[in-house]
Amino acid sequence: MKFVSRFLAVDWGTTNRRVFLVEDGKVTRTSRDPKGVTAVSAGSFPAEAQAIRAEFGELPMLMAGMVGSTLGWQVAPYVPAPCGIAEIAGNLCWIDDRTAIVPGISVVDGGRADVMRGEEVQLLGAVAAGLVPGDALLCHPGTHCKWVTMTDAKVTAFTTAMTGELFALLKKHSVLARQLAAPVNPGPAFLAGVEEGGRRDLAASLFGVRAAKMLNLRNDEDSAAFTSGLIIGSDVAARVSGASEAPVYILADPNLAALYSAAVEARGGTAIVVDGEAAFLAGIIAIGKHLS
Amino acid sequence: MKFVSRFLAVDWGTTNRRVFLVEDGKVTRTSRDPKGVTAVSAGSFPAEAQAIRAEFGELPMLMAGMVGSTLGWQVAPYVPAPCGIAEIAGNLCWIDDRTAIVPGISVVDGGRADVMRGEEVQLLGAVAAGLVPGDALLCHPGTHCKWVTMTDAKVTAFTTAMTGELFALLKKHSVLARQLAAPVNPGPAFLAGVEEGGRRDLAASLFGVRAAKMLNLRNDEDSAAFTSGLIIGSDVAARVSGASEAPVYILADPNLAALYSAAVEARGGTAIVVDGEAAFLAGIIAIGKHLS
């Protein structure tokens, strides 16, 4: 019963931390700070938890995200797919009898491996909240974009693409860096990039961005959007076929959701954007209920 | 006749410079130094040429490479493909009546643009020297790998892939950096990467390198070779079909040539390695002859 009537849910990522006080299935108080796991020294997690309880009350605490990684408080080993709320709840990493960390999920399919940590609560929560059906394709874009097959309300398969990280590397350190400073929006240049990305010849298409500059065929203002479209488009092309009628459920902030939606729709798919925070809360509450 | 009996050929790249004294079609003296164009300040190119002549003799000088770019002495505008020795010779950028820079080549094909600068002398020289037939597929790997269709001894089409740069970015700056320190050789891990690269889903395959580490499925010593195989393999998969019987002629240093050869052969193709320096000299001599 501990995690039902009143408990603390902590979404503890790499760079940020969010605390929610959950009372009878509702959030009654929340805070956000930049104390992600990389800002907390190895031995300081108990003190951090104590400080959270000093502020929010001496309550049970359920944590998710990188706090369960090698960079965090304690490693919560991956649960192999298929994995639903019950499997997550049954494999929590208990720090003490009122403090637990949610595990990530792994999949190994014919030698190809994949892992997630932190996204599982949102993804399973989206289903628990009824925002996404139990059988669906979900997309959680970001530094590492997760594409997840949900079957009977369990994560059965997934693929992670380094889309966000690749764009950031190119923008900061590559020969294209000076061309990629402009903001990205899902306009014509982005869609042209999505189309080129459909060739799935990323290393060559990227050089084309430089060649277009050398030959004065594209403005630098358009190059960032084109390149983003290229990277997202090649990701979407590998995952979404226009022939499929099943929609793609996208969990992301509004800007990223707009880009992925545009790319999915450009390839003939249907995109439905889901509220990530609502999904996280539904997920963590569902895990709490399962413990009672 | 100026560029036939005795002249200076300068291969002037981004980071290195190579000078050849050519006499009656043979190299009789050569030097190599780190005075690439990025090590030479904008106004210092005339003094550099003077220093070369002070050392090698008051001779005509034919330069190739980045010396003809915006970073170099003077911009030698790209010649549109199809482009052979005659088109190169007819579009030299003349500094004065005994000093000229070889132009690069451009191609625009249905909105997709590409450029090369520096590789054209080697590529056309390989044909001029009889090392490669006049109709062939050539591969010039490096930071930016060139794949060139030669038709009737002219460059008629080409594609550049950012393979080398992508690997370097990942090795220096990405979440995979710590896994990519080991040397790369064309062994089983490299070939496994080439096979995975054949899926042409680069952003996802790259994350798989991290996932394999998190799940202890691959040693870090193998990760660099696997990742190199992945990037080179996806490049080769986009260009080489096992069904084609035409060999791929590879112009590269021995290490890189071994990797590309292994990848081409793993995909059912045939690779033939060509001596890049011999090709460069044959090319620059052919351009010189054409001027007479």
Side-chain angles (χ1 to χ4, degrees):
Chain A
M1 302 287 278
K2 291 186 297 185
F3 287 89
V4 179
S5 54
R6 292 183 80 212
F7 72 98
L8 300 171
V10 185
D11 187 3
W12 207 329
T14 305
T15 48
N16 290 300
R17 184 176 65 179
R18 187 93 190 250
V19 181
F20 302 90
L21 170 59
V22 180
E23 298 186 289
D24 295 321
K26 306 273 179 202
V27 174
T28 54
R29 211 175 133 199
T30 182
S31 74
R32 184 191 175 100
D33 61 41
K35 283 208 165 175
V37 296
T38 51
V40 175
S41 61
S44 307
F45 285 94
E48 287 294 328
Q50 212 175 337
I52 291 171
R53 285 192 169 108
E55 196 184 335
F56 285 86
E58 289 296 323
L59 294 168
M61 189 183 295
L62 207 46
M63 297 172 281
M66 295 304 280
V67 67
S69 75
T70 51
L71 301 173
W73 190 343
Q74 197 164 303
V75 173
Y78 297 106
V79 178
C83 177
I85 292 287
E87 289 76 13
I88 293 283
N91 287 280
L92 294 178
C93 170
W94 290 94
I95 303 288
D96 57 43
D97 63 3
R98 59 173 194 165
T99 313
I101 303 176
V102 170
I105 306 177
S106 64
V107 65
V108 180
D109 176 13
R112 298 187 74 236
D114 215 325
V115 292
M116 70 167 74
R117 184 180 298 285
E119 297 90 352
E120 64 292 326
V121 179
Q122 274 190 46
L123 294 161
L124 293 168
V127 177
L131 299 169
V132 171
D135 295 274
L137 175 62
L138 292 82
C139 173
H140 190 297
T143 303
H144 298 151
C145 179
K146 306 284 174 189
W147 291 86
V148 179
T149 303
M150 194 73 70
T151 314
D152 286 339
K154 293 187 184 195
V155 171
T156 46
F158 61 94
T159 299
T160 307
M162 275 179 56
T163 44
E165 182 167 356
L166 276 181
F167 187 70
L169 286 174
L170 292 162
K171 186 168 172 164
K172 267 196 204 165
H173 302 291
S174 81
V175 71
L176 304 180
R178 283 195 213 166
Q179 291 179 255
L180 302 183
V184 174
N185 64 61
F190 178 84
L191 293 173
V194 169
E195 191 182 342
E196 171 71 12
R199 304 168 61 100
R200 295 173 64 178
D201 189 9
L202 195 56
S205 297
L206 286 171
F207 188 82
V209 175
R210 177 153 176 86
K213 179 185 178 70
M214 306 311 280
L215 300 174
N216 295 314
L217 298 176
R218 190 183 298 118
N219 292 330
D220 280 357
E221 296 128 65
D222 288 339
S223 290
F226 181 88
T227 304
S228 172
L230 194 56
I231 297 173
I232 292 176
S234 63
D235 187 16
V236 169
R239 247 62 65 187
V240 176
S241 143
S244 159
E245 282 174 31
V248 180
Y249 293 87
I250 299 176
L251 291 92
D253 70 71
N255 288 339
L256 210 45
L259 296 177
Y260 269 80
S261 295
V264 166
E265 282 165 10
R267 293 204 62 81
T270 307
I272 298 175
V273 179
V274 176
D275 178 343
E277 187 175 304
F280 175 80
L281 288 167
I284 208 92
I285 289 168
I287 295 166
K289 272 188 190 156
H290 205 91
L291 295 173
S292 64
Chain B
M1 301 289 278
K2 289 187 299 186
F3 287 90
V4 177
S5 54
R6 291 183 81 211
F7 72 98
L8 299 171
V10 185
D11 186 3
W12 206 329
T14 305
T15 49
N16 289 299
R17 184 176 66 179
R18 187 92 190 250
V19 180
F20 303 91
L21 170 59
V22 181
E23 297 185 289
D24 295 321
K26 305 271 180 204
V27 174
T28 54
R29 211 175 133 199
T30 182
S31 74
R32 185 192 175 100
D33 62 41
K35 283 206 166 175
V37 295
T38 51
V40 174
S41 61
S44 306
F45 284 94
E48 287 294 328
Q50 213 175 336
I52 291 171
R53 286 190 169 109
E55 195 183 335
F56 285 86
E58 290 296 323
L59 294 167
M61 190 183 294
L62 206 45
M63 297 172 280
M66 294 305 280
V67 67
S69 75
T70 50
L71 301 174
W73 190 342
Q74 198 165 303
V75 173
Y78 297 105
V79 178
C83 176
I85 292 287
E87 289 76 14
I88 293 282
N91 287 279
L92 294 178
C93 170
W94 290 94
I95 304 287
D96 57 43
D97 65 3
R98 59 174 193 165
T99 312
I101 303 176
V102 170
I105 307 178
S106 64
V107 66
V108 180
D109 176 14
R112 298 186 74 234
D114 215 325
V115 292
M116 72 167 74
R117 183 181 297 287
E119 297 90 352
E120 65 291 326
V121 179
Q122 274 190 46
L123 294 160
L124 293 168
V127 177
L131 299 168
V132 170
D135 295 273
L137 174 63
L138 291 82
C139 173
H140 190 297
T143 303
H144 299 152
C145 178
K146 306 284 175 190
W147 292 86
V148 178
T149 303
M150 193 73 68
T151 314
D152 286 339
K154 294 187 184 196
V155 172
T156 46
F158 61 94
T159 299
T160 306
M162 275 180 56
T163 45
E165 181 167 357
L166 275 181
F167 187 70
L169 287 174
L170 291 162
K171 187 169 172 165
K172 266 196 204 163
H173 301 292
S174 81
V175 71
L176 304 179
R178 284 194 212 168
Q179 292 179 255
L180 302 182
V184 173
N185 64 62
F190 178 84
L191 293 173
V194 169
E195 191 182 342
E196 171 71 13
R199 303 169 61 101
R200 295 173 64 179
D201 189 9
L202 195 55
S205 297
L206 286 170
F207 188 82
V209 175
R210 176 153 177 86
K213 181 186 177 70
M214 305 311 279
L215 300 174
N216 295 313
L217 298 175
R218 190 182 300 117
N219 292 330
D220 281 357
E221 295 127 66
D222 287 339
S223 291
F226 180 88
T227 304
S228 172
L230 195 55
I231 296 173
I232 292 175
S234 63
D235 186 16
V236 170
R239 247 61 66 188
V240 175
S241 144
S244 157
E245 281 173 32
V248 179
Y249 293 87
I250 299 176
L251 291 92
D253 69 72
N255 288 339
L256 210 46
L259 296 177
Y260 269 80
S261 295
V264 165
E265 282 166 10
R267 294 204 61 82
T270 307
I272 298 176
V273 178
V274 176
D275 178 342
E277 187 175 304
F280 174 81
L281 288 166
I284 208 91
I285 289 168
I287 295 165
K289 273 190 190 155
H290 205 91
L291 295 173
S292 65

